[in-house]
Amino acid sequence: MKKRILIVEDDTFLRELYAELLEGEGYEVVTASDGSQGLIRMREGGWDLTLLDIMLPVFDGFQLMKMVKDVPPEKPLGPVVYLTNLSDEDSRDKGMEQGSREYWVKSQLTPGLMLQKVKAALIDYK
Amino acid sequence: MSILNQLNFDIVLLFFVIGVNTLLAFFVFQNNPRSSTNRVFGMLSFVTSFWLFTMYVSSRGVDIYNQLLWMRLSIFFAVPQAVLFYFLAKTLPSGKLEMKETPLILIFTATIFVMALTLSPLVFADMVIINGSPAPLIGPAISIFSITVVVFSFLALFTLVRKISSSRGIARQQLKFVFYGMITMLGLIIATILIPVAVFNNSFFVSFAPLYTFIFLGATAYAIVRHRLLDIRTLVARSVAYTIFVIIIGLAYSGSIVLASQYFLGYSIGMSNVMLLTIVTLIVAYSYNPLLRKVEKFTDRIFYKDRYDSHELLRKVGKVASSTLELEELAELIIVIMLRSMKISTGHLVLVKQHQVIWQFGTDHHQKLKHPIQDKDVFELIQGAIHRRGDNILLVDEMAEGSLKTLMKEYKISVLYPLQVEKKTIGMMYFSEKLNGEIFSTEDIHMFNIISSEIAVAIKNSLQYEEIKKFNITLKQQVEEATRDLRHANQQLKALDKMKDDFVSVASHELRTPMTAIKSYLWMAMAGKGGKISDKLKFYLGRAYTSTDRLIKLVNDMLNISRIESGRITIELDKVDLVALTQEIIDEIKPRVDELKLTIKLNKKTDEGSQVDHVLADPDKIKEVIFNLIGNSLKFTDPGGIIEVSFKKEGTHIITFVKDDGRGIDESDMETLFTKFGMLPGSYATNKKASGTGLGLYISKSIIEIQKGKMGVSSEGVGKGSTFWFSLPVFMPSDKKRISADKNDKLGIIHSGF
């Protein structure tokens, strides 16, 4: 069965790039471009991996995580990785507190590295 | 009495001069017995009276034997007269005889000797009749007498000349008149009496002696009247008035006795009786005032303790001046002390600044008084005092009639003097009359002179203190105001700083997102995701990719610096194994190192061969630093080069060395290396592998320093490689407590490659 990956990312170019990259590897990719769409998708649950941006329109990544934690979806949400450009410690620590497993800094990842990390994460959090 | 019968001009002049002389001697001496000038002047006048008398008698002698005696007596008195002239000159104008004991004793002995000599036959041997008139027969010692008199007279004149040239103002005027009088008198005496008698045996001019003396007395009197010498002007004035008064009483008394006896009693009293009664009356009248004053002085001594010790007064004022800086307290204390000591009824102090009266204070012995003087009058009085010749004291008794005197009388001011500090007038002090009705003496005026400057300085200090006090209050207010402003500014700055941080955060995020997109798409293209590309195109894309990467790093570094500089960087100290950490990094970058055909060596033991101690540091931050140093070495080392990481323990620190055999650094460039944007000129342009922001070393050094370490570089020179090093404190068991227990798992810290 295809692994289902949710990408919540407001930047169209990046969103489409990640989608293309991961689909190219044979994953089922669903995207959301802002906080409200992301919330809807996250409430569906059952994702093998969620790549969640932090700075998003409507609700930011932290708020989304909190809302999903307060009202858990029927199916388990699955592992969430913050995928962001907010690289400072405060954001990272906050991200960890909110229950995300990892905190990836987009600008520090090449698409190749990103793919490796996704693969590793899918194996780790299976 | 044959002398008294010859009532001619000679005798009238003689007795007038002797009378004035004796009176003057008495008054001057009485006025200030402590002053040497007054004492010498008194003695001089006294001796002169004797001299004049004996000289007169000698020239009108009854018989030859008596005439010889009178002649001898006249020169007997001439000796101390000359010596006293010299002493008088010496004491002017200070009132002190400034002479040492030895010359004084010498002069005294010589005077006695010459005086004794004059009575012996050695000077005047005998009297002989020459041309029908008696003349003295000169003895061999006449020259000693003459020389003594001439020498002392010239010494007196010489001293006066010297003092005139060294003094100024009123003292100079006084000395001048005394000098004129003295030189005229001495010159005439020597020229017309001494020389004719001694050389030509001619005593024709002897009877003119009183006239000569009168010239001196006249000059001295003029100096007194005009320039207040010896401070007896008021006394003389009073005495003249008193004498006239006594004469009127005497005439009225004798007249009324004669008339009353003739018309009422019917018989006439003998003229001798009237004369006798009148003389007795005059004596009683004339002695009334001095007697009364003596009695008053005696009672004053009991009730007022009239005399004051000037030193004591000065000491008290000085003590008060140093005891307080409060203006009102100071003024009151000083005035009260002066009133008590000098027996004055009231005293006032007025302070001025520029052309305004700023403060007035007055008191008698018990309470504060009103200060009635109008501002414009204050300035008129001060100006009057300042522009007075000589000293600056206005004494109402001694002033000529005029607006100033009227003004002083109007305000009942007896004495007034300005307060001056360094020639700047700060105010004035004035006093009413003395409690016992006496006039102010020389001593009092002298005291005012001394005290005025002392008070002026004390008042000035006090004023400055008041100003400082006022200034302090304003300063405090200003500081409070400034603090408020600063607090406000600080709040604004804090808000601004937060805005700046937020801005940097947001901006860097917003910048990084499109840059990440560029970088990622370039990577996709280069990775052949969109189909095969030519090598040339791949080369172009590669450069675009590197540049984008550099931009991203720049933004990251700027964000880091902003955090370090604002002190918001969080350091999480932990026990760090440097060897393991370095190994981790080397493993991570191995593909890149291989690609560049370089070798990295890691010495897992220290130079001494022992284990490398763990250090106390933030592992993430240290990893960044080591990454940065190794990354720099990679950039500046040519293929085939070796990079070596080693450790050394030095005291309580472990030093990490990152050594390469790359292009090295010139010594002059080492300082700029660790500064912001401290890239060496041309370092990147000449090296295509080298891409950096110029911020790496600056950030690394800052990070190391925050963790109580140091960082530096050494190089043998350009082309000989370089060694970067940093030190970190060794981990101590006691550090354990400092490390926070609640550590989250640190996962997925991903660094960009090289």
Side-chain angles (χ1 to χ4, degrees):
Chain A
M1 196 181 153
K2 270 190 183 173
K3 297 279 184 193
R4 295 181 73 235
I5 298 175
L6 171 64
I7 299 173
V8 188
E9 166 67 66
D10 63 327
D11 187 87
T12 315
F13 290 177
L14 279 178
R15 189 174 64 242
E16 288 177 359
L17 184 131
Y18 294 146
E20 185 191 332
L21 190 71
L22 295 175
E23 277 166 356
E25 289 298 312
Y27 301 114
E28 187 188 328
V29 178
V30 176
T31 61
S33 62
D34 61 35
S36 67
Q37 282 183 32
L39 185 64
I40 295 165
R41 292 297 182 189
M42 282 168 84
R43 283 217 194 286
E44 288 172 8
W47 303 102
D48 291 303
L49 184 67
T50 304
L51 301 178
L52 178 61
D53 194 5
I54 291 172
M55 288 184 81
L56 288 166
V58 193
F59 309 117
D60 70 26
F62 298 139
Q63 287 169 334
L64 280 180
M65 278 303 280
K66 195 170 180 299
M67 286 187 279
V68 176
K69 254 170 87 179
D70 289 347
V71 188
E74 282 169 30
K75 286 185 250 173
L77 176 66
V80 177
V81 167
Y82 281 121
L83 188 65
T84 183
N85 262 333
L86 291 177
S87 62
D88 59 284
E89 283 91 352
D90 290 348
S91 304
R92 191 169 69 198
D93 290 350
K94 200 174 171 189
M96 297 300 174
E97 278 161 27
Q98 295 287 351
S100 116
R101 314 301 288 261
E102 295 197 14
Y103 190 98
W104 298 346
V105 179
K106 285 184 274 190
S107 65
Q108 295 173 347
L109 293 174
T110 59
L113 268 171
M114 158 107 169
L115 213 50
Q116 280 177 26
K117 290 184 82 73
V118 167
K119 280 176 183 167
L122 282 170
I123 292 162
D124 283 353
Y125 305 130
K126 204 168 186 177
Chain B
M1 294 286 273
S2 58
I3 299 164
L4 290 175
N5 290 337
Q6 292 174 307
L7 275 170
N8 53 22
F9 171 73
D10 285 4
I11 200 150
V12 171
L13 179 69
L14 174 73
F15 278 100
F16 176 72
V17 173
I18 287 178
V20 171
N21 223 350
T22 316
L23 271 176
L24 212 56
F26 175 73
F27 281 131
V28 167
F29 182 75
Q30 261 306 102
N31 187 248
N32 193 356
R34 289 189 204 182
S35 161
S36 294
T37 308
N38 293 39
R39 273 187 292 189
V40 171
F41 190 86
M43 280 156 76
L44 180 62
S45 303
F46 202 60
V47 168
T48 304
S49 298
F50 276 104
W51 177 70
L52 286 171
F53 183 73
T54 52
M55 187 117 81
Y56 183 81
V57 176
S58 75
S59 66
R60 315 264 156 168
V62 247
D63 57 67
I64 286 183
Y65 175 75
N66 274 336
Q67 205 170 359
L68 181 63
L69 178 70
W70 289 114
M71 205 120 194
R72 280 178 177 163
L73 276 174
S74 75
I75 58 168
F76 172 81
F77 286 115
V79 178
Q81 197 188 17
V83 176
L84 284 168
F85 268 127
Y86 171 62
F87 280 160
L88 181 68
K90 269 275 181 194
T91 61
L92 287 172
S94 65
K96 281 179 199 149
L97 184 61
E98 279 152 353
M99 260 180 120
K100 280 180 189 149
E101 219 168 285
T102 324
L104 258 177
I105 291 168
L106 269 173
I107 290 172
F108 189 70
T109 318
T111 310
I112 298 289
F113 173 72
V114 177
M115 279 169 83
L117 214 59
T118 56
L119 293 180
S120 74
L122 287 168
V123 176
F124 287 144
D126 205 351
M127 292 297 282
V128 287
I129 308 288
I130 297 168
N131 299 332
S133 63
L137 194 68
I138 295 155
I142 187 81
S143 55
I144 297 178
F145 160 76
S146 305
I147 288 167
T148 310
V149 172
V150 172
V151 163
F152 276 106
S153 302
F154 273 104
L155 271 177
L157 292 174
F158 177 69
T159 310
L160 271 177
V161 169
R162 260 184 47 191
K163 293 218 167 171
I164 288 170
S165 63
S166 67
S167 61
R168 52 191 61 206
I170 189 162
R172 194 186 170 97
Q173 296 300 319
Q174 289 174 349
L175 287 170
K176 261 189 186 169
F177 280 103
V178 174
F179 175 74
Y180 293 152
M182 205 184 266
I183 198 168
T184 313
M185 182 183 75
L186 288 175
L188 286 169
I189 287 172
I190 290 168
T192 66
I193 299 176
L194 199 66
I195 295 173
V197 169
V199 181
F200 307 110
N201 266 334
N202 187 335
S203 56
F204 174 73
F205 286 102
V206 170
S207 56
F208 286 97
L211 190 68
Y212 304 160
T213 316
F214 191 66
I215 291 169
F216 171 69
L217 285 175
T220 313
Y222 184 76
I224 289 166
V225 173
R226 187 73 204 276
H227 299 293
R228 203 164 62 80
L229 177 71
L230 312 174
D231 196 48
I232 58 158
R233 208 181 107 192
T234 44
L235 268 178
V236 170
R238 280 187 196 186
S239 302
V240 169
Y242 195 67
T243 307
I244 292 167
F245 166 72
V246 166
I247 288 168
I248 292 167
I249 285 190
L251 286 175
Y253 183 81
S254 53
S256 57
I257 287 177
V258 171
L259 287 175
S261 60
Q262 267 187 348
Y263 289 100
F264 297 107
L265 300 174
Y267 69 95
S268 73
I269 299 169
M271 205 55 195
S272 56
N273 280 352
V274 173
M275 283 293 281
L276 197 69
L277 280 170
T278 310
I279 288 167
V280 170
T281 312
L282 284 181
I283 289 169
V284 169
Y286 204 80
S287 59
Y288 167 78
N289 206 22
L291 199 69
L292 177 71
R293 213 177 294 153
K294 281 281 168 207
V295 173
E296 269 180 352
K297 217 165 206 178
F298 177 69
T299 50
D300 278 356
R301 204 165 294 173
I302 295 168
F303 296 110
Y304 290 119
K305 260 182 142 263
D306 186 48
R307 294 224 79 83
Y308 58 92
D309 185 344
S310 53
H311 289 287
E312 180 64 14
L313 174 54
L314 278 176
R315 198 186 60 76
K316 277 185 187 165
V317 170
K319 208 171 148 192
V320 165
S322 58
S323 71
T324 180
L325 281 167
E326 298 289 345
L327 190 58
E328 181 146 350
E329 198 186 345
L330 183 75
E332 187 174 357
L333 285 170
I334 287 176
I335 293 174
V336 165
I337 284 173
M338 289 177 74
L339 296 184
R340 294 237 163 102
S341 298
M342 299 168 94
K343 308 277 174 293
I344 308 170
S345 52
T346 64
H348 284 81
L349 180 81
V350 181
L351 295 182
V352 297
K353 194 173 188 180
Q354 269 117 36
H355 296 288
Q356 272 190 314
V357 173
I358 54 168
W359 195 69
Q360 293 205 46
F361 179 83
T363 183
D364 57 9
H365 291 80
H366 310 288
Q367 63 196 35
K368 265 177 85 169
L369 297 174
K370 280 182 191 166
H371 19 77
I373 300 195
Q374 287 179 1
D375 287 13
K376 70 170 174 56
D377 294 340
V378 166
F379 288 103
E380 195 179 336
L381 288 166
I382 288 177
Q383 289 308 313
I386 289 170
H387 291 127
R388 214 180 117 84
R389 283 206 309 195
D391 53 32
N392 289 337
I393 294 177
L394 289 182
L395 268 174
V396 81
D397 285 340
E398 297 194 354
M399 283 162 59
E401 290 300 330
S403 62
L404 215 54
K405 188 164 183 168
T406 316
L407 208 57
M408 284 177 78
K409 279 181 176 165
E410 192 184 313
Y411 290 123
K412 295 196 175 71
I413 299 170
S414 289
V415 186
L416 180 147
Y417 53 86
L419 295 174
Q420 288 180 307
V421 179
E422 288 157 9
K423 292 190 178 164
K424 233 180 101 182
T425 305
I426 62 164
M428 65 172 190
M429 278 183 98
Y430 61 94
F431 295 91
S432 59
E433 74 288 340
K434 280 194 162 189
L435 283 171
N436 55 13
E438 275 191 16
I439 58 148
F440 286 95
S441 66
T442 317
E443 203 181 2
D444 294 330
I445 291 155
H446 185 56
M447 184 55 62
F448 286 134
N449 252 330
I450 300 175
I451 245 172
S452 69
S453 56
E454 215 167 292
I455 292 172
V457 171
I459 295 283
K460 175 98 180 162
N461 287 345
S462 172
L463 280 175
Q464 275 167 351
Y465 170 74
E466 299 273 320
E467 248 167 61
I468 288 169
K469 241 179 26 183
K470 266 185 228 153
F471 176 69
N472 268 351
I473 292 166
T474 7
L475 192 69
K476 212 175 149 193
Q477 285 169 346
Q478 281 175 343
V479 166
E480 272 166 15
E481 220 166 273
T483 313
R484 252 200 318 277
D485 289 351
L486 277 176
R487 212 173 281 141
H488 182 65
N490 195 30
Q491 281 168 354
Q492 281 189 320
L493 278 176
K494 271 185 183 164
L496 265 175
D497 197 47
K498 179 141 191 347
M499 274 168 70
K500 188 205 80 178
D501 288 339
D502 291 348
F503 171 78
V504 170
S505 229
V506 171
S508 54
H509 178 261
E510 294 304 320
L511 277 171
R512 275 188 294 195
T513 303
M515 286 193 288
T516 307
I518 296 168
K519 190 179 146 184
S520 301
Y521 279 102
L522 286 171
W523 186 90
M524 295 289 265
M526 288 200 296
K529 301 277 178 190
K532 231 177 143 34
I533 54 167
S534 70
D535 283 351
K536 194 74 190 169
L537 191 55
K538 198 170 179 177
F539 171 76
Y540 294 152
L541 291 174
R543 291 224 153 161
Y545 178 87
T546 311
S547 298
T548 314
D549 202 36
R550 215 169 120 188
L551 259 179
I552 292 169
K553 272 188 204 155
L554 183 65
V555 171
N556 287 347
D557 285 350
M558 302 260 267
L559 194 63
N560 273 333
I561 285 171
S562 148
R563 253 189 252 133
I564 289 169
E565 287 181 348
S566 61
R568 284 181 302 108
I569 187 163
T570 41
I571 298 286
E572 283 175 41
L573 293 175
D574 203 348
K575 187 178 172 182
V576 177
D577 182 349
L578 284 171
V579 178
L581 193 71
T582 312
Q583 186 61 56
E584 226 175 272
I585 295 163
I586 291 172
D587 291 345
E588 257 179 66
I589 60 169
K590 196 165 185 317
R592 178 87 177 129
V593 175
D594 290 346
E595 194 186 316
L596 293 167
K597 297 186 176 68
L598 294 169
T599 315
I600 295 191
K601 271 167 66 179
L602 173 65
N603 297 340
K604 296 190 174 177
K605 302 239 166 132
T606 63
D607 294 353
E608 292 79 30
S610 58
Q611 287 287 333
V612 179
D613 289 331
H614 291 184
V615 291
L616 182 70
D618 183 325
D620 296 344
K621 300 286 189 303
I622 293 310
K623 201 168 174 181
E624 272 176 48
V625 172
I626 299 174
F627 251 117
N628 186 270
L629 292 183
I630 294 179
N632 279 344
S633 288
L634 293 181
K635 281 175 208 163
F636 297 104
T637 307
D638 296 324
I642 296 167
I643 295 159
E644 194 178 337
V645 182
S646 59
F647 307 95
K648 185 184 169 191
K649 186 171 179 182
E650 211 175 270
T652 56
H653 282 68
I654 297 289
I655 306 177
T656 307
F657 297 95
V658 178
K659 186 173 181 292
D660 65 50
D661 53 0
R663 57 190 55 193
I665 302 144
D666 194 81
E667 206 177 325
S668 60
D669 293 329
M670 287 183 187
E671 269 184 38
T672 52
L673 216 53
F674 293 98
T675 57
K676 238 189 262 187
F677 297 104
M679 283 184 290
L680 300 186
S683 62
Y684 288 105
T686 52
N687 189 346
K688 62 177 178 185
K689 290 188 294 175
S691 69
T693 59
L695 293 167
L697 283 173
Y698 173 78
I699 293 169
S700 296
K701 192 166 193 264
S702 303
I703 288 171
I704 292 294
E705 278 167 2
I706 289 166
Q707 300 180 61
K708 297 190 178 84
K710 281 179 182 161
M711 187 167 201
V713 64
S714 61
S715 174
E716 301 277 294
V718 175
K720 295 190 177 153
S722 47
T723 306
F724 282 86
W725 59 266
F726 64 88
S727 65
L728 284 169
V730 171
F731 180 85
M732 299 290 186
S734 57
D735 291 331
K736 253 181 198 163
K737 286 175 192 168
R738 293 177 54 193
I739 303 162
S740 49
D742 57 343
K743 274 227 186 67
N744 295 306
D745 293 341
K746 290 272 157 55
L747 298 163
I749 301 153
I750 290 150
H751 289 269
S752 59
F754 294 95

